[in-house]
Amino acid sequence: MAGGPDDGQAAVPHVSRGVEIPRLDVDDLPPSYLSPTAQKYWKQRTTYFSKFDEGIQLLDEESWFSVTPEAIAAHQARRLQGRRVVDGCCGAGGNAIQLALTSEHVIAVDIDPLKIQMAQANAAVYGVADKMEFILGDNRAVLPTLKDIDNIFLSPPWGGPDYNQLTGVGVLEQMNFRDVLEMASAVTPNVAIMLPRTVNHEDILEVLSDAKLTAWEDDPLQADEIICELESNYLHHKRAPKVKTAYFGDLAHAPNKSTNPPSP
């Protein structure tokens, strides 16, 4: 019979009438550079940038697992609202963009030129590039040169997706938490540092054991000492926090330490 499997012609798959075969859109495929374990971030891309499909650039795998979900970044930005605000580890720009939506001027710093390139492009997508200044350099060298800064936001590397294998103190030591805080506090006492959800206030107290520090997670404490507020940041109303944020100086003021931003 003509067209059979033995006549040298390719067999045509049978498709039942009335059954719609979905078209495979290459735009729905994860970037080829993403490892299989990181491809879950691609499916959540609009959680990280609501305008992702309008031209957002995430060109390396590290950016996918380090960018802050937009709802959390927007909440943090509202708390850090000011005249001149710094994002000292801007990465692809997730937090810096949200800061620019609430503050007058944002200085975004990163040591990686690719990250600065992505942050600039992504800021343009959100229409805030004209409110931002991008500096390529090590924040340890850049921050001391900045003047008249109201607030500083920092999200230092935690050590990649495997950070949760460490204790809270182990993570803080790996990210040089004390040095990072001291560096930023020399510019302004108003500092916010994003931390893994595995860190608690006892861990911060241990790492800063010889500093005059008062820390809390749920109940505000009044003291003539350095005050740290550790806020739990939730996403999609899940029971466990996505991340935590440590606030210092005048930023550590809110009595309610648990936030659950609305789902995008």
Side-chain angles (χ1 to χ4, degrees):
M1 182 174 64
D6 298 325
D7 64 358
Q9 298 184 24
V12 178
H14 174 74
V15 178
S16 300
R17 292 182 180 180
V19 177
E20 182 178 356
I21 304 301
R23 181 177 64 89
L24 181 61
D25 191 340
V26 68
D27 292 337
D28 290 334
L29 296 175
S32 58
Y33 59 78
L34 283 183
S35 66
T37 56
Q39 289 180 7
K40 65 179 181 180
Y41 299 106
W42 171 256
K43 298 178 182 179
Q44 303 167 9
R45 58 193 182 276
T46 56
T47 298
Y48 300 106
F49 289 97
S50 61
K51 295 188 176 185
F52 188 93
D53 295 329
E54 298 179 35
I56 290 296
Q57 293 186 12
L58 288 178
L59 303 178
D60 63 343
E61 183 163 313
E62 180 185 18
S63 295
W64 283 93
F65 62 72
S66 61
V67 67
T68 306
E70 187 169 285
I72 293 177
H75 167 78
Q76 293 165 330
R78 288 190 291 270
R79 293 202 54 175
L80 276 89
Q81 180 178 358
R83 186 176 56 87
R84 283 170 56 82
V85 179
V86 176
D87 183 346
C89 310
C90 74
N95 282 97
I97 288 168
Q98 295 303 315
L99 289 169
L101 290 170
T102 63
S103 298
E104 294 182 25
H105 184 74
V106 172
I107 300 172
V109 182
D110 205 281
I111 198 170
D112 184 345
L114 179 61
K115 300 292 195 301
I116 291 291
Q117 173 190 321
M118 290 186 287
Q120 289 176 313
N122 296 339
V125 172
Y126 279 79
V128 294
D130 60 339
K131 299 176 63 178
M132 301 177 67
E133 175 183 353
F134 298 90
I135 300 178
L136 174 63
D138 190 326
N139 56 26
R140 292 171 294 182
V142 174
L143 262 61
T145 69
L146 302 179
K147 307 296 182 184
D148 301 320
I149 301 301
D150 295 326
N151 305 314
I152 294 177
F153 176 82
L154 293 163
S155 180
W158 300 341
D162 296 331
Y163 72 87
N164 55 7
Q165 298 179 10
L166 299 174
T167 64
V169 170
V171 172
L172 293 176
E173 291 177 342
Q174 179 169 275
M175 62 189 289
N176 298 314
F177 177 79
R178 183 187 180 109
D179 292 342
V180 168
L181 177 60
E182 290 180 347
M183 170 191 66
S185 297
V187 180
T188 174
N190 306 322
V191 178
I193 303 177
M194 192 162 71
L195 302 170
R197 62 188 178 188
T198 53
V199 173
N200 57 45
H201 68 285
E202 289 87 359
D203 299 327
I204 294 176
L205 284 169
E206 182 173 340
V207 172
L208 303 177
S209 58
D210 58 346
K212 291 184 177 180
L213 177 73
T214 297
W216 73 81
E217 271 193 276
D218 297 309
D219 299 320
L221 299 176
Q222 303 296 327
D224 295 328
E225 298 175 342
I226 300 173
I227 295 178
C228 171
E229 170 198 342
L230 186 60
E231 177 183 71
S232 296
N233 304 121
Y234 294 82
L235 193 65
H236 302 317
H237 302 280
K238 292 187 177 180
R239 297 182 64 180
K242 180 72 172 178
V243 297
K244 292 184 179 180
T245 309
Y247 296 94
F248 297 86
D250 291 341
L251 297 175
H253 62 77
N256 181 6
K257 306 303 174 299
S258 297
T259 61
N260 197 339
S263 300

